[in-house]
Amino acid sequence: MIADVPLFPESASHLSEQTDNLFWFLFGVSAFISVLIFLLIAVFAIKYHRRAPNEIGAPISGSLKLEIAWTVIPFVIAMIMFAWGARLFFNMAHPPPQAMQIFVVAKQWMWKAQHPEGRIEINELHVPVNRDVMLTMTSQDVIHDLFIPAFRIKADVLPNRYTSMWFRASKPGRYHLFCAEYCGTNHALMGGWVTVMEPADFEDWLSRGERGRSMVESGAVLFQNYKCANCHVEDGSGHAPSLMGVYGAPVRLTTGQTITADDAYLRESILNPRAKIVAGYRPEMPSFQRILNEEQVLQLIAYIKTMSAGKPLQTTGSELSNPAR
Amino acid sequence: MSAVPPVEVEHHENYLNTSYGVWSWLLTTDHKRIGLLYLVSVTFFFFVGGFFATLIRLHLMTPQGTLVDAATYNKMFTMHGVVMVFFFLIPAIPTVLGNFLVPLMIGAKDLAFPRLNLASWYIFNAGGLLMIYSVMRGGLDTGWTFYPPYSSLYSNTHVVSAVLGIFIAGFSSILTGLNFLVTVHTMRAPGMTWGRLPLFVWSHYATSIIFVLGTPVIAITLALVGIERIFHLGIFDPSLGGDPVLFQHLFWFYSHPAVYIMVLPGMAVTTELITTFSRKRLFGYGFVAAASIAIAVIGFFVWGHHMFVAGQSFYASMVFSILSYLVAIPSAIKVFNWTATLYKGSISWATPMLYGLGFIGLFVMGGMTGLFLSALGVDVHVHDTYFVVAHFHYIMVGGTVMAYLGGLHYWWPKMSGRMYPEGLAKFAAVVLFIGFNLTFFPQFVLGYLGMPRRYHSYSPEFQVLNVMSTAGASILAVGYLLPMAYFIWSMRYGPIAGPNPWPGTGLEWLTASPPPEKNFEVTPVVTWDAYDFPNRHDLKYPAPTPGFTPAQTWPPE
């Protein structure tokens, strides 16, 4: 039984190796310094063990040279650790632009992942091997945290905000997926599995199952059902600004400020439309806070992203996931 | 027992026998008696927190959990954390040892505000009782970190009474800190310059700065959680227009410096132990004193390292990472100076020294693993796993509790006038050290493997390490119960200690054991530096063994 006890986690992403390298560097340096201190303490404690009850220690009260040495050397080592850690973190924080998108909504106590092509899975995440994958995540209630130990990544998932993380799985297999931020009673049960598949198997998996509409198609249906186009007229002549090509474009607000229309801005404009008003328009739009859930908001945004001049309203989902394809 | 100095037969009046009766204790303004009152309070809370820890470790023996359901488990780890942090670790050393010793060490008759000191004890207990009330009514399940919106909207447990308890207890911290600061500034005996203060006093001074500056922030932050819960004002809950990350900033702005509230007094005790039991001046006195202040100051600027994966900006994380490495340097300086103090010392292996050396070892482990957590890329993996749990237990239990126990043994003769049983005490110290490492070392491995904290059930591959940890905890429990038993025993049956059994150099050892009510018969005049063994002509050492010439002895040739 003891022989089966794992002592080191499986490594299954391009990042996990880099994290482990830094870990072993930290381990080596700190083990060396710790053992040095332990040895010194042990040697001194034995060698200078009191031999007579009236013995006292040597009259030594310090050394400037030593003080400088053990201030400067640890400082230099610490800065190396900082720089290495920061470089790794920089990679983690900056997903490649071509990454495949998956959208995750967390709620007490489950993970719901939506693939742009339309497949939805609960407490499971299927991804292809050797491909950059970016997760865009939000929470329907409290703070959660998506943690995949084999990939050495985690990120908090917050209500009312999108956070993201990315990885490139390097080895097919099944790996733990945990919630790492305490979220209430069944926090420990809010987990599942990440399945890394060969690309062909993944395409096969995507096309199987009860395949509904793609995210963009679902978004288009919502767009029609809630009559968004009544005000958001294509040529800009309606009560509300045109949404053609709005994603990623600069938007001037009534405050005079200019911002970029990203996911967070679109989400806020749907759920809390009065927070930021486009210059030249009046705050007339009702809030969809209690009408749409987070998955539907993601679908609407997916659809809005596809809206650009000269494009038909109906598109296929795969275009969203990877513009380069 | 042979090391115990000659029995002092005559009866002297001291702070313990100057008056009797319950009210002479409950209405006392004597800092020494208040220190003992705190000793009773924090010991009570230690065993409450320890009770929950026991249940946690028993529950985690099997992957599905042996003892309780998920909701109850969540309450247990929350109450373990809240009680241990706010009602044991933060107050323990300053209010018990600090209260008792700061006036004695600077040659004062009492603290600057004796009645405020008594009021602090009542305020502390009022907060503590409110916390016990919350526990009795069914407890709370937010984690000791109280993160909203879970704490402010979703939890159905007794959050309001609990945060009110912490809010109230906070005033006790503020008042104690204020009392220490004023006392150290204004009440030092003639000749007790800043450069001659024992490091114990320096560290308590640094701790007091954090008490006074930091505690109001946590008090207000937790009050806001209560207000949001009761009145649904949108402060932290996004569905009301608040920001949950704002809470995390405010919470850690106090709660990270609070780590230094817990460990600086531990360093204070360790410095006294290392010097006394090496009979040597502290190596680099000025550097160790400055390091205490540096830790207190830089410690206020590292809070964001608790939030590397919380969605704060990438650049903020960079700044907090580099500052976290900077705050490690003064701690490293202290460790190196303690180690260098041992060099060419006359080292005794008495029980307090075992705790002192144990503190250094465990603190080094805790500090080194802190470097892992400060490294941004590695923290992403180990954040919120058992790696963090192991790390802070090494600092707080391995560090603070070891130092607290070491300090209790060292000053027990001063506090009670009697010695504890040395052989049994050494045995308990070794049991504690082994039990501690067996409990918490496996948790480092569990953490890097990816076991998240605050899980009532876990994946089967984590079981063996969890069982090891539980086994260690049962050894650790024995190590805590033993001193409790023999300290009580020694109050009646321990050999009489005499004024200075070790001998130590601090002013507290110049007066009788236990000290008289006003501390000193004559106000001492200080003409020597701290830990100045070679020049302390008044220290009396036991007679040397015939026919043996040690390297350095008193009196010098």
Side-chain angles (χ1 to χ4, degrees), chain B residues 15 18 24-25 27-36 38 95-120 175-176 178-189 201 507 511 515-521 523-524:
Chain B
Y15 80 104
T18 184
S24 77
W25 283 86
L27 296 177
T28 183
T29 54
D30 182 345
H31 67 100
K32 300 182 288 303
R33 283 195 169 197
I34 295 172
L36 293 194
Y38 268 116
T95 63
V96 179
L97 299 175
N99 240 323
F100 196 96
L101 292 160
V102 166
L104 280 167
M105 283 185 165
I106 63 172
K109 288 189 172 65
D110 205 319
L111 285 172
F113 308 113
R115 280 179 293 182
L116 197 63
N117 194 20
L118 180 66
S120 309
L175 297 178
T176 301
L178 194 70
N179 224 336
F180 284 168
L181 290 176
V182 175
T183 306
V184 175
H185 270 277
T186 60
M187 295 177 68
R188 284 169 285 125
V201 178
L507 292 187
T511 189
E517 197 183 357
K518 291 297 167 201
N519 291 351
F520 300 94
E521 303 297 344
T523 301

Coordinates of all heavy atoms in Angstrom, one line a residue, chain B residues 15 18 24-25 27-36 38 95-120 175-176 178-189 201 507 511 515-521 523-524:
Chain B
Y15 N 3.5 38.9 44.8 CA 2.2 39.3 44.2 C 1.2 38.2 44.3 O 0.0 38.5 44.2 CB 2.4 39.7 42.7 CG 2.5 38.5 41.8 CD1 1.5 38.2 40.9 CD2 3.7 37.7 41.7 CE1 1.6 37.1 40.1 CE2 3.8 36.7 40.8 CZ 2.8 36.3 40.0 OH 2.9 35.3 39.2
T18 N 0.0 38.4 48.4 CA -0.3 39.7 49.1 C -1.7 39.9 49.4 O -2.1 40.6 50.3 CB 0.2 40.9 48.2 OG1 0.0 42.1 48.9 CG2 -0.5 40.9 46.9
S24 N -9.8 39.8 44.7 CA -8.4 40.3 44.6 C -7.8 40.0 43.3 O -6.8 40.6 42.8 CB -7.6 39.8 45.8 OG -7.2 38.4 45.5
W25 N -8.3 39.0 42.6 CA -7.9 38.7 41.2 C -8.7 39.4 40.2 O -8.1 40.0 39.2 CB -7.9 37.1 41.0 CG -6.8 36.5 41.7 CD1 -6.7 36.0 43.0 CD2 -5.5 36.2 41.1 NE1 -5.5 35.5 43.2 CE2 -4.7 35.6 42.1 CE3 -4.9 36.4 39.8 CZ2 -3.4 35.2 41.9 CZ3 -3.6 36.0 39.6 CH2 -2.9 35.4 40.6
L27 N -10.4 42.0 40.3 CA -10.3 43.5 40.2 C -8.8 44.0 40.3 O -8.6 45.2 40.6 CB -11.1 44.1 41.4 CG -12.6 43.8 41.3 CD1 -13.3 44.4 42.6 CD2 -13.2 44.5 40.1
T28 N -7.9 43.1 40.1 CA -6.5 43.5 40.3 C -6.1 44.4 39.1 O -6.6 44.3 38.0 CB -5.6 42.2 40.2 OG1 -4.3 42.6 40.5 CG2 -5.7 41.5 38.9
T29 N -5.1 45.3 39.4 CA -4.5 46.1 38.3 C -3.1 45.7 38.2 O -2.3 46.4 37.5 CB -4.7 47.6 38.6 OG1 -4.2 47.8 39.9 CG2 -6.1 48.0 38.5
D30 N -2.6 44.7 38.9 CA -1.2 44.3 38.9 C -1.0 43.5 37.5 O -1.7 42.5 37.2 CB -1.0 43.3 40.0 CG 0.5 42.9 40.1 OD1 1.2 43.0 39.1 OD2 0.9 42.3 41.1
H31 N -0.1 44.0 36.7 CA 0.2 43.4 35.4 C 0.5 42.0 35.5 O 0.2 41.2 34.6 CB 1.3 44.2 34.7 CG 2.6 44.0 35.4 ND1 3.6 43.1 34.9 CD2 3.2 44.6 36.4 CE1 4.7 43.2 35.6 NE2 4.5 44.0 36.6
K32 N 1.1 41.5 36.6 CA 1.5 40.1 36.8 C 0.3 39.2 37.0 O 0.2 38.2 36.4 CB 2.5 40.0 37.9 CG 3.7 40.8 37.8 CD 4.7 40.6 38.9 CE 4.3 41.2 40.2 NZ 4.0 42.7 40.1
R33 N -0.6 39.7 37.8 CA -1.9 39.0 38.0 C -2.7 39.0 36.7 O -3.3 38.0 36.4 CB -2.7 39.6 39.2 CG -2.1 39.2 40.5 CD -3.1 39.5 41.6 NE -2.6 38.8 42.8 CZ -3.4 38.6 43.9 NH1 -4.7 39.0 43.9 NH2 -2.9 38.0 45.0
I34 N -2.7 40.1 36.0 CA -3.5 40.1 34.8 C -2.9 39.2 33.7 O -3.6 38.5 33.0 CB -3.6 41.6 34.2 CG1 -4.4 42.5 35.2 CG2 -4.2 41.6 32.9 CD1 -4.3 43.9 34.9
G35 N -1.6 39.1 33.8 CA -0.9 38.1 32.9 C -1.4 36.7 33.2 O -1.7 35.9 32.3
L36 N -1.5 36.4 34.5 CA -2.0 35.0 34.8 C -3.5 34.9 34.5 O -3.9 33.8 34.1 CB -1.8 34.8 36.3 CG -0.4 34.7 36.8 CD1 -0.3 34.1 38.2 CD2 0.5 33.8 35.8
Y38 N -4.9 36.2 31.9 CA -4.8 35.9 30.5 C -4.4 34.5 30.2 O -4.9 33.9 29.3 CB -3.9 36.9 29.8 CG -4.5 38.1 29.2 CD1 -4.2 39.4 29.7 CD2 -5.4 38.1 28.2 CE1 -4.8 40.6 29.2 CE2 -6.0 39.2 27.7 CZ -5.7 40.5 28.2 OH -6.2 41.6 27.7
T95 N -0.1 38.9 25.7 CA -0.9 39.2 26.9 C -0.5 38.4 28.1 O -0.7 38.9 29.2 CB -2.4 39.0 26.6 OG1 -2.6 37.6 26.3 CG2 -2.9 39.8 25.5
V96 N 0.1 37.2 27.9 CA 0.5 36.5 29.0 C 1.9 36.8 29.4 O 2.2 37.4 30.4 CB 0.4 34.9 28.8 CG1 0.9 34.2 30.0 CG2 -1.0 34.6 28.4
L97 N 2.9 36.5 28.5 CA 4.3 36.8 28.8 C 4.6 38.2 28.7 O 5.3 38.8 29.6 CB 5.2 35.9 27.9 CG 5.0 34.4 28.0 CD1 5.9 33.7 26.9 CD2 5.4 33.9 29.4
G98 N 4.1 38.9 27.7 CA 4.3 40.3 27.6 C 3.8 41.1 28.8 O 4.5 42.0 29.3
N99 N 2.6 40.9 29.1 CA 2.0 41.6 30.3 C 2.8 41.4 31.5 O 3.1 42.3 32.3 CB 0.6 41.0 30.6 CG -0.5 42.0 30.5 OD1 -0.3 43.2 30.9 ND2 -1.6 41.7 29.9
F100 N 3.2 40.1 31.7 CA 4.0 39.8 32.9 C 5.4 40.4 32.9 O 5.9 40.9 33.9 CB 4.1 38.3 33.1 CG 4.5 37.8 34.4 CD1 3.6 37.4 35.4 CD2 5.9 37.8 34.8 CE1 3.9 37.0 36.6 CE2 6.2 37.4 36.1 CZ 5.3 37.0 37.0
L101 N 6.0 40.4 31.7 CA 7.5 40.7 31.7 C 7.9 42.0 31.2 O 8.9 42.5 31.6 CB 8.1 39.6 30.8 CG 8.1 38.2 31.4 CD1 8.3 37.2 30.3 CD2 9.1 38.1 32.5
V102 N 7.1 42.7 30.3 CA 7.5 44.0 29.8 C 7.9 45.0 31.0 O 9.0 45.5 31.0 CB 6.6 44.6 28.8 CG1 6.9 46.0 28.5 CG2 6.6 43.7 27.5
P103 N 7.0 45.2 31.9 CA 7.3 46.1 33.0 C 8.6 45.6 33.8 O 9.5 46.4 34.1 CB 6.1 46.1 33.9 CG 5.0 45.7 33.0 CD 5.6 44.7 32.1
L104 N 8.6 44.3 34.1 CA 9.7 43.7 34.8 C 11.1 44.0 34.1 O 12.1 44.3 34.7 CB 9.5 42.2 35.1 CG 8.6 41.9 36.2 CD1 8.3 40.4 36.2 CD2 9.3 42.2 37.6
M105 N 11.0 43.7 32.8 CA 12.2 43.8 32.0 C 12.8 45.2 31.9 O 14.0 45.4 31.6 CB 12.0 43.2 30.6 CG 12.0 41.7 30.6 SD 11.8 41.2 28.9 CE 12.2 39.5 29.1
I106 N 11.9 46.2 31.9 CA 12.4 47.6 31.8 C 12.5 48.2 33.2 O 12.8 49.4 33.3 CB 11.5 48.5 30.9 CG1 10.1 48.6 31.5 CG2 11.4 47.9 29.5 CD1 9.2 49.6 30.7
G107 N 12.3 47.5 34.2 CA 12.5 48.0 35.6 C 11.3 48.9 36.0 O 11.5 49.9 36.8
A108 N 10.1 48.7 35.6 CA 9.0 49.5 35.9 C 8.1 48.8 37.0 O 8.2 47.6 37.2 CB 8.1 49.8 34.7
K109 N 7.2 49.6 37.6 CA 6.4 49.0 38.7 C 5.2 48.3 38.1 O 4.6 47.4 38.6 CB 5.9 50.1 39.7 CG 7.0 50.5 40.6 CD 6.4 51.4 41.7 CE 7.5 51.8 42.7 NZ 8.6 52.6 42.2
D110 N 4.7 48.8 36.9 CA 3.5 48.2 36.3 C 3.5 48.8 34.9 O 4.4 49.5 34.4 CB 2.3 48.7 37.0 CG 1.1 47.7 36.8 OD1 1.0 47.2 35.6 OD2 0.4 47.3 37.7
L111 N 2.5 48.5 34.1 CA 2.3 49.1 32.8 C 1.8 50.5 33.0 O 1.4 50.9 34.1 CB 1.2 48.3 32.0 CG 1.7 47.0 31.4 CD1 0.5 46.2 30.8 CD2 2.8 47.2 30.3
A112 N 1.8 51.3 31.9 CA 1.5 52.7 32.1 C 0.0 52.9 32.5 O -0.3 53.8 33.3 CB 1.8 53.5 30.8
F113 N -0.9 52.1 32.0 CA -2.3 52.2 32.3 C -2.8 50.9 32.9 O -3.4 50.1 32.2 CB -3.1 52.6 31.1 CG -2.5 53.8 30.3 CD1 -2.0 53.6 29.1 CD2 -2.6 55.0 30.9 CE1 -1.5 54.7 28.4 CE2 -2.1 56.1 30.2 CZ -1.5 55.9 28.9
P114 N -2.6 50.7 34.2 CA -3.0 49.4 34.8 C -4.4 49.1 34.7 O -4.8 48.0 34.5 CB -2.5 49.6 36.3 CG -1.6 50.7 36.3 CD -2.0 51.6 35.2
R115 N -5.3 50.1 34.9 CA -6.7 49.8 34.9 C -7.2 49.5 33.5 O -8.1 48.7 33.2 CB -7.6 51.0 35.5 CG -7.5 51.0 37.0 CD -8.3 52.1 37.6 NE -7.7 53.4 37.3 CZ -8.1 54.5 37.7 NH1 -9.2 54.6 38.4 NH2 -7.4 55.6 37.4
L116 N -6.6 50.2 32.5 CA -6.9 49.9 31.1 C -6.5 48.4 30.8 O -7.1 47.7 30.0 CB -6.1 50.8 30.2 CG -6.5 51.0 28.8 CD1 -7.9 51.5 28.7 CD2 -5.6 51.9 28.0
N117 N -5.4 48.0 31.4 CA -4.9 46.7 31.2 C -5.9 45.6 31.7 O -6.3 44.7 31.0 CB -3.6 46.5 32.0 CG -2.8 45.2 31.6 OD1 -3.0 44.7 30.5 ND2 -1.9 44.8 32.5
L118 N -6.5 45.9 32.9 CA -7.6 45.0 33.4 C -8.8 45.1 32.4 O -9.4 44.0 32.1 CB -8.0 45.4 34.8 CG -9.1 44.5 35.4 CD1 -8.6 43.1 35.6 CD2 -9.6 45.1 36.7
A119 N -9.1 46.3 32.0 CA -10.3 46.5 31.1 C -10.0 45.6 29.8 O -11.0 45.0 29.3 CB -10.5 47.9 30.7
S120 N -8.8 45.6 29.3 CA -8.5 44.8 28.1 C -8.8 43.3 28.3 O -9.4 42.7 27.4 CB -7.0 44.9 27.8 OG -6.6 46.2 27.7
L175 N -5.8 48.2 22.9 CA -5.5 48.8 24.2 C -4.2 48.2 24.7 O -3.4 48.9 25.3 CB -6.7 48.6 25.2 CG -7.9 49.3 24.7 CD1 -9.1 49.0 25.7 CD2 -7.7 50.8 24.6
T176 N -4.0 46.9 24.5 CA -2.8 46.2 25.0 C -1.6 46.8 24.3 O -0.6 47.2 24.9 CB -2.8 44.7 24.8 OG1 -3.9 44.2 25.5 CG2 -1.6 44.0 25.3
L178 N -1.3 49.8 22.8 CA -1.2 51.1 23.3 C -0.4 51.2 24.6 O 0.5 51.9 24.8 CB -2.5 51.8 23.4 CG -2.6 53.3 23.6 CD1 -2.2 53.9 22.2 CD2 -4.0 53.7 23.9
N179 N -0.9 50.3 25.5 CA -0.3 50.2 26.9 C 1.2 49.9 26.8 O 2.0 50.5 27.4 CB -1.0 49.1 27.6 CG -1.3 49.6 29.1 OD1 -0.7 50.5 29.6 ND2 -2.3 49.0 29.7
F180 N 1.6 48.9 25.9 CA 3.0 48.6 25.8 C 3.8 49.7 25.2 O 4.9 50.0 25.7 CB 3.1 47.4 24.9 CG 2.8 46.0 25.5 CD1 2.6 44.9 24.7 CD2 2.5 45.9 26.9 CE1 2.3 43.7 25.3 CE2 2.2 44.7 27.5 CZ 2.1 43.6 26.7
L181 N 3.2 50.4 24.2 CA 4.0 51.5 23.5 C 4.3 52.6 24.5 O 5.4 53.0 24.7 CB 3.2 52.0 22.4 CG 3.1 51.1 21.1 CD1 2.2 51.8 20.1 CD2 4.4 50.8 20.5
V182 N 3.3 53.0 25.3 CA 3.5 54.1 26.2 C 4.4 53.6 27.3 O 5.3 54.4 27.8 CB 2.1 54.5 26.8 CG1 2.3 55.6 27.9 CG2 1.2 55.1 25.7
T183 N 4.3 52.4 27.8 CA 5.1 51.9 28.9 C 6.6 51.9 28.5 O 7.4 52.4 29.2 CB 4.7 50.5 29.3 OG1 3.3 50.5 29.6 CG2 5.4 50.0 30.5
V184 N 6.8 51.4 27.3 CA 8.2 51.3 26.8 C 8.8 52.7 26.6 O 10.0 52.9 26.9 CB 8.4 50.4 25.6 CG1 9.8 50.4 25.0 CG2 7.9 49.0 25.8
H185 N 8.0 53.6 26.2 CA 8.5 55.0 26.0 C 8.8 55.7 27.3 O 9.7 56.5 27.4 CB 7.5 55.8 25.1 CG 7.8 55.7 23.6 ND1 8.7 56.4 23.0 CD2 7.2 54.9 22.7 CE1 8.7 56.1 21.7 NE2 7.8 55.2 21.5
T186 N 7.9 55.5 28.2 CA 8.0 56.5 29.4 C 8.4 55.8 30.7 O 8.7 56.6 31.6 CB 6.6 57.1 29.6 OG1 5.7 56.0 29.9 CG2 6.1 57.8 28.4
M187 N 8.5 54.5 30.8 CA 8.7 54.0 32.1 C 9.9 53.1 32.3 O 10.0 52.3 33.2 CB 7.4 53.1 32.5 CG 6.2 54.0 32.6 SD 4.7 53.1 33.0 CE 5.0 52.6 34.6
R188 N 10.9 53.3 31.4 CA 12.1 52.6 31.5 C 12.9 53.0 32.8 O 13.0 54.2 33.0 CB 13.0 52.7 30.3 CG 12.4 51.9 29.1 CD 13.1 52.2 27.8 NE 12.5 53.5 27.3 CZ 13.3 54.5 26.9 NH1 14.6 54.4 27.1 NH2 12.8 55.6 26.5
A189 N 13.6 52.1 33.5 CA 14.4 52.4 34.6 C 15.6 53.3 34.2 O 16.0 53.3 33.1 CB 14.8 51.1 35.3
V201 N 11.6 43.0 24.6 CA 10.9 44.3 24.6 C 10.8 44.9 23.2 O 9.7 45.4 22.8 CB 11.5 45.2 25.6 CG1 10.8 46.6 25.6 CG2 11.5 44.6 27.0
L507 N 16.3 42.2 33.8 CA 16.0 42.8 35.1 C 15.0 42.0 35.9 O 14.9 42.0 37.1 CB 15.4 44.2 34.9 CG 16.3 45.3 34.4 CD1 15.6 46.7 34.4 CD2 17.6 45.3 35.2
T511 N 14.8 40.5 40.7 CA 13.9 40.6 41.8 C 13.5 39.2 42.3 O 14.0 38.2 41.7 CB 12.7 41.4 41.4 OG1 11.8 41.6 42.6 CG2 11.8 40.6 40.4
P515 N 7.8 37.7 42.1 CA 8.2 39.1 42.4 C 7.2 39.7 43.4 O 6.1 39.3 43.5 CB 8.1 39.9 41.1 CG 8.0 38.8 40.0 CD 7.4 37.6 40.7
P516 N 7.7 40.7 44.2 CA 6.8 41.4 45.1 C 5.8 42.2 44.2 O 6.0 42.4 43.0 CB 7.7 42.4 45.9 CG 8.9 42.5 45.1 CD 9.1 41.2 44.3
E517 N 4.7 42.7 44.9 CA 3.6 43.4 44.2 C 4.2 44.5 43.3 O 3.7 44.7 42.2 CB 2.6 43.8 45.2 CG 1.3 44.2 44.5 CD 0.3 44.7 45.5 OE1 0.6 44.8 46.7 OE2 -0.8 45.1 45.1
K518 N 5.1 45.3 43.8 CA 5.6 46.5 43.1 C 6.9 46.1 42.3 O 7.6 47.0 41.9 CB 5.9 47.6 44.1 CG 4.6 48.2 44.7 CD 3.7 48.8 43.6 CE 2.4 49.2 44.1 NZ 1.3 49.3 43.0
N519 N 7.1 44.8 42.1 CA 8.1 44.3 41.2 C 9.5 44.4 41.8 O 10.2 43.4 41.9 CB 8.2 45.0 39.8 CG 7.0 44.6 39.0 OD1 6.2 43.7 39.4 ND2 6.8 45.3 37.9
F520 N 10.0 45.6 42.2 CA 11.3 45.7 42.8 C 11.3 46.4 44.1 O 10.6 47.4 44.3 CB 12.2 46.5 41.8 CG 12.3 45.9 40.4 CD1 11.5 46.3 39.4 CD2 13.3 44.9 40.2 CE1 11.5 45.7 38.2 CE2 13.3 44.4 38.9 CZ 12.5 44.8 37.9
E521 N 12.1 45.9 45.1 CA 12.2 46.6 46.3 C 12.8 48.0 46.1 O 12.4 49.0 46.7 CB 13.1 45.8 47.3 CG 12.6 44.4 47.6 CD 11.3 44.3 48.2 OE1 10.8 45.3 48.8 OE2 10.6 43.2 48.2
T523 N 14.2 50.5 42.8 CA 14.3 50.6 41.4 C 15.7 50.4 40.9 O 16.6 51.0 41.3 CB 13.8 52.0 40.9 OG1 12.5 52.2 41.4 CG2 13.8 52.1 39.4
P524 N 15.8 49.4 39.9 CA 17.2 49.1 39.5 C 17.8 50.2 38.6 O 17.0 50.9 37.9 CB 17.0 47.8 38.7 CG 15.5 47.8 38.3 CD 14.8 48.6 39.3

